[in-house]
Structures are given as C-alpha cells and as structure tokens.
Amino acid sequence: DVIASFLEFTDIHLYGQENLDGVKATPAIFVLFPHTSHLDSMLVRYVLPKEMREKLYFLAKESYWGGSKRWLGQLTNDLILLPTEKNAIPKEAMKEARDVLDRGCYIGIAPEGTRSDKEIEERPFLPGIDLLIRLTNYRYPIVPVLLHGPAEVWPKGQSLPLPFIYRDHMLERKKISVGIGPALYFSPQEKGAITAYVREKCIELYGNFDT
C-alpha cells in the first residue's frame, strides 16, 4: 500500500521480533513508546507479520482524528476514537476495544495520548490501560513497542515526512529502530498499578534499547 511504499525509503531496523511468537495466536495490546511522530502507528503496522497486521486496530484521539479527518486515518489504520474532553472517561471506546480483542484482533495504543518531545522520564501515561485490562478481565497481555527515530523523519509540526538526509554529498536513508519487548501479563491483584508499571517497564526497556 501507499504507506508501506513510503516506508521502504527509510532504513528500518526491527529488534525483539522473537517476542511476537507468544502473541501470534492470541489477542494483545501493543503499547507504543515514546509517541513522537505521525509515523508511530504506521511503523507498528509495517513491522508486524501480515497475519497480525490485518487484525490491528489503533486507539486515536477523537479531537484530532474525528470528523472530516477520520477517513484519512482509516487509510492507514483501523481506528477506535477516544474522547478527549477534559475529565471524559473513555469507557465506551474501551468497551469497543475489548470487543475487538475478544474477536481475536490486536489493539495499538500510545498511552501518552499525544506526540511530545519531552525527555523519556518526563512522559506521563494516561490511565486508559488500567481500564482496558480490567474490562478484558486480565485475559490479554501488553506488548511494549519501543520506537527510536521516527521523529527524525516526521516530527510534530512538520507537514510532510522527510525520509532522507544529505550527508557527504550523498542522500542517505534516515534510520528508524523498532523494538518489541516481552509480553506483560497481569492479574486482578494488580488493579490500579498497571499503568504505572507499564510506564516504568517502557522507560526501562527504552533505556536498554540497542539501536
């Protein structure tokens, strides 16, 4: 497709693909970290095996991808829109996400809620992960997906992606690294602590991410 064709122009390195083996036959929730670029969700879809890619849905902000923009988002991803009004509880959207998982599909989420250029340790997570895990009765794992470099290709505020860099009188493809972390499983005893734990794990994995 169009996105796959574009990403062929970048230098993408995938690490930890062996961690996908345990979730190829079961639904899972992919947590993207850090969220820095429009490319983030497209990259996850691109690096997944075809049989997983075709069953992947992303949670997205209604304030950004709702209305006339939704058709554009659907060109690259199947979307479930999250309300972003102040104090809104995304329970209905999370129920829709649960139903998608129960059908044997996958959910992708950027728990920061918005793209940012903050330092890794300063990135807060919204509490939706706890709600989704609770609604699914703790049946499905969370898989951290670490992203390094997409902001160099398509940073926030830039209208179009730039996959090349001019260096030593030559055009070079910019490098992007995607790391798949081990699946994380939870139980009802961990109620209320899941989001904080996932955030700590993502920061830890990113710090050890060999790009």
Side-chain angles (χ1 to χ4, degrees):
D1 58 26
V2 174
I3 296 303
S5 298
F6 161 73
L7 289 172
E8 291 292 343
F9 288 104
T10 60
D11 183 17
I12 298 175
H13 297 250
L14 178 61
Y15 302 89
Q17 52 263 57
E18 67 278 3
N19 290 318
L20 292 173
D21 293 341
V23 295
K24 283 183 178 177
T26 183
I29 302 160
F30 292 101
V31 169
L32 286 59
F33 181 82
H35 189 24
T36 61
S37 169
H38 282 313
L39 283 180
D40 295 348
S41 60
M42 303 177 201
L43 277 167
V44 176
R45 185 177 295 280
Y46 180 78
V47 300
L48 288 180
K50 185 175 185 292
E51 65 271 19
M52 300 179 73
R53 185 189 315 147
E54 292 176 344
K55 298 190 294 183
L56 179 62
Y57 291 72
F58 278 94
L59 296 171
K61 290 196 303 183
E62 188 172 24
S63 61
Y64 190 88
W65 289 111
S68 60
K69 274 189 175 180
R70 184 161 190 172
W71 71 269
L72 181 60
Q74 296 284 48
L75 286 177
T76 57
N77 294 304
D78 291 313
L79 302 179
I80 297 173
L81 296 183
L82 289 166
T84 48
E85 297 85 0
K86 188 175 181 180
N87 299 323
I89 299 174
K91 193 164 186 177
E92 292 307 312
M94 289 303 186
K95 285 181 178 178
E96 185 179 349
R98 174 202 60 196
D99 293 344
V100 165
L101 290 163
D102 286 347
R103 295 201 306 269
C105 297
Y106 302 93
I107 290 293
I109 183 171
E112 296 166 71
T114 188
R115 291 168 296 147
S116 169
D117 58 2
K118 291 181 179 179
E119 295 296 324
I120 295 301
E121 293 78 8
E122 297 174 359
R123 293 172 172 269
F125 279 18
L126 300 177
I129 296 174
D130 288 272
L131 176 58
L132 181 54
I133 290 292
R134 194 162 64 247
L135 286 171
T136 61
N137 293 317
Y138 304 86
R139 292 194 303 273
Y140 308 125
I142 286 175
V143 179
V145 181
L146 297 314
L147 305 170
H148 187 279
E152 301 299 318
V153 177
W154 199 353
K156 185 174 182 177
Q158 183 173 289
S159 57
L160 292 172
L162 296 174
F164 299 104
I165 185 171
Y166 188 70
R167 182 162 35 210
D168 296 330
H169 309 290
M170 296 181 63
L171 281 178
E172 294 182 8
R173 295 185 299 163
K174 292 181 179 177
K175 180 181 177 181
I176 297 175
S177 300
V178 181
I180 309 296
L184 308 175
Y185 293 84
F186 299 94
S187 67
Q189 288 72 34
E190 294 156 306
K191 180 180 178 181
I194 294 174
T195 297
Y197 178 82
V198 172
R199 178 180 178 273
E200 291 172 6
K201 197 67 178 176
C202 284
I203 292 173
E204 175 191 334
L205 289 169
Y206 192 85
N208 295 325
F209 187 16
D210 182 12
T211 60

